[in-house]
Amino acid sequence: MATDKTPIAAALAAATCALLGSSLPEPVQAQEEPRWEFNTALLYYGESDDRVQDLSLNLLARRNFVDDRVLTAGLTIDALTGASPNGALPQSVAQTFTQPSGRRTYTIDSEEIPTDDTFRDTRVALTANWQQPLGRLYEFNVGASASAEYDYLHTGINARISRDFNQRNTTVSAGLAIARDTLDPVGRVPGGLTPMQLADRADDDDGGGASAAGRSVDETKDVLDVVLGVTQVVSRTFLFQVNYSYSDSSGYLNDPYKILSVVDGVTGDAVTVVPDPVFDGPSHLFLYEQRPDERVKHSLFAQGKHYMNGKVLDLSYRYMTEDWEIDSNTLEARYRLPLGEGGYLEPHLRYYTQSEADFYTPGIVNGAALPEYASADYRLGNFDAFTFGLKYGRETSSGNDFSVRLELYQQSGDIPSRQLIGNQIGRDNYPDLDAVILQFGYRFGL
């Protein structure tokens, strides 16, 4: 078994990298000159109904040194635009909302899911990682990450160590990541479960007019992630992996742009407010969401890869549970089919389902005591999602790799009938989502 292990593991690893959209460099010999390899990708993500659109450029550079040492650096640039559901319920009449900046208002037609179309952002993300062996059986990785948006800053560090056992057929690994995120939203940070304010059209230099008074300038959250894993070469053609992940987030976990409708306890309709004689403002009573300041997740991931005379079947399953009472299941399958002259086709299927958070609610009843936590963010609700896709790739005459991937994403959810009141029943209260993903990739070496 020890004699066959190295080529089998290399073949499976190469197939794994191809399935994940990356590539495996040639083995580095002791006297081989260092070289660079580059993975580039241009990705378009577009949601239906003029919702979020993302154009993303990704560059991953990898330099191989002697003695199996590897330096990896990544750059991602995202340009995002479009509309995003703000959390309010659709109504039989038009609704007016104050923009996050606090300087303008916007109006949504009757029976429409309320969305804020002022969403514009550019994200720049950087990653760096150093990998090297420690002795004969250990391998160590250390890295750092940073990303910046108009209203968000992320910094993080990570480390991972692995050890081979059982004639290198078994690998045990442990990883740790620590991150701090700073949020400085447009219009400053609103207080949880406080009313949406009037619009103040006077500009200032602080990202909000008088309506931002009393709001905090920024908030932070800290994230700790731990991953423990085992990878096992089961046979000449089968590789299996199991990971356990623990994630602890603490600090400001609200989405400062999400709100809830305050509704009548009998009709379920949003409560109207008396218009201000001077300033524009919301037509109904809306409150900003409030989430707990800590979130702990546990997940178990299993993946198997089977090599069949050039074909590779990749199956995986992930179960996640957390103290927000969201339980999720993810099933994913890829099947790589070789074509002539270095090409391949790779169908992809993914199914995801989750239950709702214990504080998820479509609205807050007027006059009732305010709950400790509440959110109408559809991402915290009960929904199912399917992804269907196909990837084509081939090796060019110059020895580089080209690929194109097209996928369709469909998400649908519902709000339990026990949470709906009066006229809410029968309305389309949960925003379904369709999206298309198109990616072009090119890998080359220098």
Side-chain angles (χ1 to χ4, degrees):
M1 182 66 181
T3 303
D4 295 333
K5 189 269 175 186
T6 299
I8 296 170
L12 287 170
T16 299
C17 289
L19 288 169
L20 295 177
S22 60
S23 62
L24 187 72
E26 294 296 325
V28 179
Q29 304 300 325
Q31 302 302 319
E32 193 171 72
E33 290 294 326
R35 67 189 303 265
W36 283 98
E37 289 196 350
F38 297 91
N39 260 346
T40 61
L42 180 64
L43 180 144
Y44 169 77
Y45 169 85
E47 298 179 355
S48 58
D49 301 323
D50 296 322
R51 287 172 56 178
V52 175
Q53 315 288 310
D54 178 23
L55 186 62
S56 176
L57 176 65
N58 298 272
L59 171 65
L60 182 67
R62 175 175 175 138
R63 179 158 185 171
N64 304 308
F65 296 88
V66 295
D67 301 326
D68 296 328
R69 295 175 297 155
V70 180
L71 173 66
T72 305
L75 169 66
T76 300
I77 302 175
D78 288 299
L80 300 115
T81 60
S84 178
N86 63 16
L89 287 166
Q91 298 294 307
S92 60
V93 296
Q95 300 181 84
T96 300
F97 305 87
T98 302
Q99 291 180 353
S101 66
R103 300 190 184 120
R104 299 288 187 273
T105 60
Y106 62 97
T107 300
I108 300 298
D109 292 337
S110 61
E111 306 300 340
E112 295 291 326
I113 295 286
T115 59
D116 179 7
D117 63 0
T118 63
F119 177 55
R120 303 285 187 278
D121 210 342
T122 300
R123 172 179 171 266
V124 178
L126 298 171
T127 60
N129 180 267
W130 176 258
Q131 171 186 313
Q132 71 172 56
L134 294 178
R136 188 173 63 89
L137 298 176
Y138 287 89
E139 185 178 83
F140 180 68
N141 291 262
V142 62
S145 62
S147 65
E149 304 173 34
Y150 179 79
D151 58 354
Y152 202 83
L153 175 66
H154 160 86
T155 55
I157 56 174
N158 60 83
R160 176 181 176 271
I161 190 168
S162 62
R163 188 187 191 280
D164 292 332
F165 295 91
N166 185 26
Q167 299 178 325
R168 294 185 181 272
N169 288 305
T170 304
T171 302
V172 177
S173 63
L176 175 70
I178 301 173
R180 164 155 284 201
D181 298 341
T182 301
L183 186 66
D184 183 14
V186 177
R188 303 183 182 177
V189 181
L193 301 180
T194 61
M196 176 177 282
Q197 299 176 342
L198 300 173
D200 180 357
R201 297 180 181 273
D203 292 339
D204 66 9
D205 296 328
D206 296 325
S211 61
R215 296 186 177 191
S216 58
V217 176
D218 57 39
E219 293 283 355
T220 61
K221 72 173 180 180
D222 297 312
V223 182
L224 170 67
D225 292 306
V226 178
V227 180
L228 305 175
V230 177
T231 302
Q232 177 67 47
V233 177
V234 179
S235 70
R236 294 177 57 88
T237 59
F238 186 61
L239 182 73
F240 187 72
Q241 178 183 13
V242 176
N243 287 343
Y244 164 75
S245 300
Y246 170 86
S247 179
D248 187 327
S249 303
S250 60
Y252 184 80
L253 304 183
N254 293 350
D255 186 326
Y257 305 121
K258 298 300 183 184
I259 59 175
L260 302 101
S261 299
V262 177
V263 301
D264 183 272
V266 176
T267 66
D269 293 331
V271 175
T272 59
V273 296
V274 178
D276 188 274
V278 178
F279 296 104
D280 293 336
S283 57
H284 298 75
L285 182 56
F286 306 109
L287 304 182
Y288 290 98
E289 70 165 30
Q290 176 66 41
R291 307 183 188 186
D293 58 6
E294 186 166 6
R295 186 177 191 179
V296 175
K297 302 178 184 178
H298 303 270
S299 67
L300 188 65
F301 174 79
Q303 184 176 34
K305 297 178 185 294
H306 185 39
Y307 180 82
M308 302 166 288
N309 297 322
K311 306 179 184 69
V312 179
L313 176 63
D314 179 0
L315 298 174
S316 66
Y317 168 74
R318 183 190 303 273
Y319 171 74
M320 189 194 74
T321 186
E322 58 175 280
D323 57 358
W324 286 7
E325 303 301 327
I326 296 178
D327 294 327
S328 68
N329 295 273
T330 307
L331 290 168
E332 193 160 10
R334 289 183 171 88
Y335 188 55
R336 179 166 173 167
L337 299 165
L339 302 176
E341 300 181 354
Y344 66 89
L345 281 177
E346 185 181 290
H348 174 220
L349 176 63
R350 180 179 184 269
Y351 170 69
Y352 175 85
T353 182
Q354 76 169 42
S355 59
E356 64 184 54
D358 57 355
F359 55 86
Y360 175 80
T361 179
I364 294 178
V365 176
N366 188 39
L370 289 178
E372 184 177 10
Y373 307 115
S375 175
D377 188 340
Y378 72 97
R379 296 169 296 183
L380 301 178
N382 174 64
F383 70 86
D384 300 323
F386 292 90
T387 303
F388 312 86
L390 182 65
K391 179 180 179 181
Y392 170 76
R394 65 171 298 128
E395 184 176 335
T396 67
S397 58
S398 59
N400 301 323
D401 290 330
F402 167 80
S403 66
V404 59
R405 174 171 64 101
L406 177 64
E407 293 186 336
L408 301 178
Y409 175 82
Q410 296 180 335
Q411 176 180 309
S412 61
D414 57 39
I415 300 175
S417 58
R418 56 182 166 76
Q419 291 186 316
L420 299 177
I421 303 172
N423 296 327
Q424 296 173 8
I425 300 174
R427 285 184 182 148
D428 183 12
N429 296 296
Y430 193 98
D432 288 345
L433 174 63
D434 294 319
V436 61
I437 302 167
L438 178 62
Q439 182 185 55
F440 297 93
Y442 190 68
R443 182 184 66 82
F444 60 97
L446 296 176

